[in-house]
Every structure is written in structure tokens, then in C-alpha cells.
Amino acid sequence: MRTIIEPFRIKSIEPIEMSSPEMRSEWLTEAGHNLFRLPAERVLIDLLTDSGTAAMSARQWGAMMAGDESYAGARSWYRFEETVRRVFGFAHVVPTHQGRAAERILFGCTVNSGDVVPSNAHFDTTRANIEYLGGHAVDLPCAEAADPTTDEPFKGNVDLAALEALLDARADDVPLIMLTITNNTGGGQPVSMANIRAVAELAHRFGKPLYIDACRFAENAWFIKQREPGYAGTSIPEIVHEMFSHADGCTMSAKKDALVNIGGFLCTRDPSLAEREKNLLILSEGFPTYGGLAGRDLEAIAAGLEEVLHEDYLRYRIVSTAYVVDHLHDAGVPVVRPAGGHAVYLDAGRFLPHIPALQYPGQSLAAALYQHAGIRGVEIGTVMAGRDPDTGAERPPQLELVRLAIPRRVYTQSHMDYVVEAIVEVFERRDRLAGYRITDEPPFLRHFTATFAPLG
Ligand SMILES: *Cc1c(COP(=O)(O)O)cnc(C)c1O
């Protein structure tokens, strides 16, 4: 069959409040033309993020009822710990309330002021946690990552020559190496097994541990199975095991590939590091057998980590993202290619070439998609890049993008058909879209709260 169906039936639904373009124009003005300021009820299809927005299964909800809320040594903790050990293969597991808490604890135990932490590309909370400690977060993406128009299979890879050069020059300042799979910042692009292996070999040659930012580990494993020679016959759990066998530990936001709404964890093979991490954990997150989570959350994560490895789920997940990207590409809409795992990235710079960077083409496109069809995406361009902290000048990034992140198991193919149709309609009248100016902005992370006014 050519049609790949959602591998689930819907048992519980959440109504979408319908609205008209006229109503949304008014709401957009009320929100200062910033989609972060919109009440979610005013959105038809919410593609702001895939983080914490998954639909849970009946099995997960059932497991939550069985959650053990004992403070220490709860049954749910042992189930969670056993599952994480089995899936990832690390001896020591530290639960946290979300991914950034795992990052803060790992770096709090390993990074000192002046240190350098290389990665294929750091996620923004990872970078912020390293910089908060006075460290430098260095991105070393492979060369193919820079061109959004080519179909290279593993654009999430690390530039190995650049990593080796950095280690040759400054090994003493490098406490650990990070690897983000899939590469969120770079378009949800996967990292190959060969690259993971090579990064680990380099790291270990210099005596450095490799930590994987594991948020989308199952999606990455699916890409390896599909695209990397030699893995077509290997099961997803085996691929996951092999990926992590090269690493010394990982950080995880369970809000992504654990199919839950909150949670995270941190793993390591190093018993003395695990002790220090648990001491920090007690200070801010909680006792080491719950780490800021309820017993029911630990149950839902354990069940989610098993469900996310099912091939039917992963096929549906990756195919539905590619479905949107391929239809848009066929209609001539500029998109980042190839399709990544969790999101569709519109290339607003090529979509709206008549709007200069400092009139925010991504902001204009995101606002137009909301006004036209009630779809909420996020600008990843000049607005999000913000200002140089030293000069105060705006620093446009290489690409002006709008990210449409796809929540897991939430929307159906007809929702995605609607998204494609809406984007194509906006594309057909792109000449009529104008830029924006900022009317008010905070000093940091301005994209969350800034207000805008349309030009012209
Ligand atoms: C979401 C995310 C994080 C941070 O996790 P939170 O649960 O949001 O704190 C870290 N790294 C990557 C790649 C992510 O996508």
C-alpha cells in the first residue's frame, strides 16, 4: 500500500476552536503580532514545538494510575531505572524534571570557567547552561549542513577534522564532548553511526568523555536503519544500543522521544560522577529516586521509551514529516531538505526575498500563516538571533527560517494536508506580504515577548 496510516485509533479527543481570518487578524494585533503571546485556544494547528506536546497512549495513562508515589525507592522508580538501563545501556541513571535540568547538573559537575565544549550543534538550553558557567559552547557541524537545498542523508554529522583540530589545539580546556541526535538546531537532521563512532574514537583518543544529547534518539535510529548501509536488517533497539555503546553518558528531555509531557534524565558510566550528580540533584531537583518527577511521570516515561521504539510508530512519524516537506517542495515552496525528524523548516529568506533581514521575513511568514489558516509556527531567524551583547547590533543568522514542529501522535494526515494547502496559498500571494518592525523588546531572548508592527 502507498498510504501509510496512523498506527493508532483515537480514544479521547480535544476539540479545536474554529476561527476566521478576520478574527485571527484582530487576535494577532492584540498579541502584538507575536505568536508566543497568543492564547493556545486561538490556534487551529499548533506547531510551535514538539516538546511536551505528545499524545500519550492508553497504556501510558494506565501505567500512570499504577504510579507509586513513595518518596524513596518507589516501585515506579525501579521500573523507570530498569527501562532506561535496558534501552540505553548506562549503569547510572539520574531522573530530572526536564532536559535542561540534566544539562545543568552534568555541566555543574564537569565544566569550569574558560572551558570549551564542542558539539555538532548545541541546543539553546545546552549552550546557555555551558555559558552560564563561563564555558564556551562550540558548534562544529559538517559542511553539508550549511546548504538547505541538498539531500545529503546525515546532515547532523560533526565535522571530524574541525573537532580533531580543536582537540589538538586545546584538549586541556575540553571537559567533555557533546553530540546532539538528531540535530535540533540544524533542522532535525540525523547523525550517522559512522560519525558517532568516529567522534567517540577521537574523544577517547584524547581521554575525553562523549555525552549524547539524546532527545530524539529513536528518530535518529530510524534514519540510520533507513539510510546507512548495513543497518536495514538491524532492529531499532539494537541500533539504539550500538549508538549509545560509543558514549560515556547522555542527557535526555523525555518531552521529545519518551512520548510524555514532562520529564528528563541523565546517564553516565562513571560511578564517582554519578555520586556528585546525585548530590547536586538533591539540592534542586529532589531525592535520587524521583528527581523532581511524580511516580506517575516515571511510569509514563518508562512506557513511552518502549513505545517509541516500535517501527510502525517511527515509520509513521518520519513519513508524516517528509510528507509535508515533499508536497511543499513539489509545489515550489522553499523548504530545508531533506526532511528532518520532528519539524518542517520553511526557508523564509527564499520565500520572501523582497523582505530584508532587518524587516524580519520569518516573522512576516509566521504571522501570515497564522492569520491565513490559524497555524502557529516559530521564527528561527533574525528575531530569535537577537543582538550582539557587546555592540547591541542585530546579527542576522545564515538562514531565515520558520519552524513547524510536529507534535507526536497528535495530528492526522488531514491536518497535514490542511497545513500544506495553507502554506501553498500563502506562497501564491507572497508578493503581498510586508515586513515588520519591533515596537518593544526585552534585553534577552527577545523572541518570546517582543511586540511588532507591520510595515506598509
Ligand atoms: C528540548 C531540548 C533540550 C532541553 O530539554 P527541555 O526538556 O526543554 O529542558 C535539550 N536538547 C535538545 C536537542 C532539545 O530538543
Side-chain angles (χ1 to χ4, degrees):
M1 296 291 300
R2 270 191 310 119
T3 306
I4 293 174
I5 59 171
E6 286 86 5
F8 47 80
R9 297 186 297 180
I10 295 167
K11 177 169 251 167
S12 175
I13 61 107
E14 195 178 358
I16 292 173
E17 296 282 338
M18 293 303 183
S19 56
S20 65
E22 295 70 33
M23 293 159 82
R24 291 191 293 266
S25 282
E26 225 167 87
W27 294 339
L28 203 51
T29 308
E30 254 177 65
H33 300 271
N34 184 341
L35 304 185
F36 279 103
R37 299 170 68 109
L38 282 172
E41 282 178 344
R42 294 181 172 182
V43 176
L44 295 191
I45 310 251
D46 204 345
L47 307 182
L48 190 66
T49 177
D50 66 319
S51 179
T53 51
M56 292 207 298
S57 65
R59 192 171 154 267
Q60 283 175 295
W61 284 109
M64 286 183 83
M65 276 309 290
D68 176 357
E69 305 303 341
S70 305
Y71 189 93
R75 185 178 62 242
S76 302
W77 155 251
Y78 290 110
R79 173 162 182 230
F80 169 89
E81 186 188 40
E82 184 279 318
T83 308
V84 174
R85 280 182 176 159
R86 173 161 41 84
V87 171
F88 296 91
F90 296 113
H92 305 283
V93 181
V94 178
T96 61
H97 79 280
Q98 54 184 88
R100 67 198 68 186
E103 293 166 354
R104 195 182 59 78
I105 289 170
L106 172 63
F107 300 143
C109 293
T110 53
V111 173
N112 293 308
S113 186
D115 281 354
V116 178
V117 181
S119 175
N120 49 346
H122 291 278
F123 183 64
D124 53 13
T125 59
T126 321
R127 172 181 305 284
N129 272 296
I130 292 168
E131 290 177 350
Y132 181 74
L133 293 160
H136 302 287
V138 178
D139 292 345
L140 302 173
C142 63
E144 303 89 283
D147 185 351
T149 65
T150 64
D151 273 332
E152 248 74 47
F154 290 107
K155 286 184 170 179
N157 282 353
V158 175
D159 181 338
L160 294 167
L163 177 60
E164 184 164 11
L166 183 128
L167 286 166
D168 270 332
R170 306 195 54 179
D172 287 349
D173 301 327
V174 176
L176 77 171
I177 289 162
M178 293 293 298
L179 185 59
T180 314
I181 64 171
T182 57
N183 182 355
N184 185 350
T185 313
Q189 302 292 328
V191 182
S192 70
M193 191 74 84
N195 197 253
I196 297 174
R197 197 183 302 121
V199 170
E201 274 168 16
L202 253 180
H204 296 152
R205 172 140 63 84
F206 284 86
K208 307 298 175 188
L210 170 64
Y211 276 77
I212 294 182
D213 178 338
C215 293
R216 296 178 182 81
F217 73 98
E219 293 175 6
N220 201 90
W222 178 257
F223 281 118
I224 287 176
K225 186 175 170 81
Q226 298 302 304
R227 297 180 181 174
E228 193 158 350
Y231 287 95
T234 314
S235 74
I236 295 294
E238 284 171 314
I239 294 175
V240 169
H241 235 261
E242 185 177 336
M243 282 161 43
F244 289 91
S245 72
H246 298 296
D248 299 277
C250 71
T251 56
M252 173 74 185
S253 168
K255 301 172 76 171
K256 321 294 173 40
D257 268 357
L259 301 173
V260 295
N261 309 117
I262 196 73
F265 53 86
L266 171 56
C267 295
T268 181
R269 298 188 198 285
D270 178 343
S272 84
L273 177 62
E275 271 318 299
R276 282 181 283 139
E277 287 170 350
K278 285 178 195 170
N279 291 338
L280 258 190
L281 187 82
I282 290 174
L283 213 54
S284 60
E285 291 278 304
F287 190 70
T289 65
Y290 73 86
L293 294 169
R296 54 181 170 270
D297 297 325
L298 296 167
E299 291 281 350
I301 294 169
L305 286 174
E306 285 167 357
E307 290 176 13
V308 79
L309 300 173
H310 288 185
E311 297 204 2
D312 291 343
Y313 163 74
L314 286 168
R315 179 179 300 109
Y316 139 79
R317 169 75 176 157
I318 300 302
V319 162
S320 36
T321 307
Y323 178 87
V324 177
V325 169
D326 293 346
H327 278 79
L328 291 174
H329 178 65
D330 291 347
V333 176
V335 282
V336 171
R337 291 173 57 212
H342 68 291
V344 174
Y345 292 74
L346 304 176
D347 188 339
R350 284 188 289 142
F351 198 114
L352 300 172
H354 58 288
I355 302 183
L358 294 185
Q359 293 178 15
Y360 317 123
Q363 167 64 26
S364 173
L365 178 53
L369 276 179
Y370 173 70
Q371 194 273 331
H372 185 65
I375 298 164
R376 175 156 71 171
V378 61
E379 191 258 17
I380 302 193
T382 301
V383 176
M384 190 180 274
R387 292 176 184 276
D388 186 306
D390 299 325
T391 65
E394 293 180 275
R395 35 177 190 187
Q398 212 173 11
L399 295 174
E400 299 284 348
L401 302 174
V402 171
R403 185 187 75 182
L404 305 171
I406 314 210
R408 293 167 179 80
R409 304 193 294 204
V410 170
Y411 294 112
T412 63
Q413 183 172 340
S414 68
H415 290 117
M416 291 302 120
D417 286 334
Y418 173 90
V419 168
V420 170
E421 184 181 340
I423 294 169
V424 171
E425 284 183 5
V426 171
F427 187 61
E428 278 162 1
R429 35 194 179 105
R430 60 193 179 280
D431 296 347
R432 285 185 246 165
L433 299 192
Y436 279 79
R437 67 186 170 85
I438 292 180
T439 50
D440 187 44
E441 67 177 293
F444 301 108
L445 297 173
R446 65 180 183 174
H447 56 287
F448 289 124
T449 53
T451 53
F452 300 84
L455 296 165

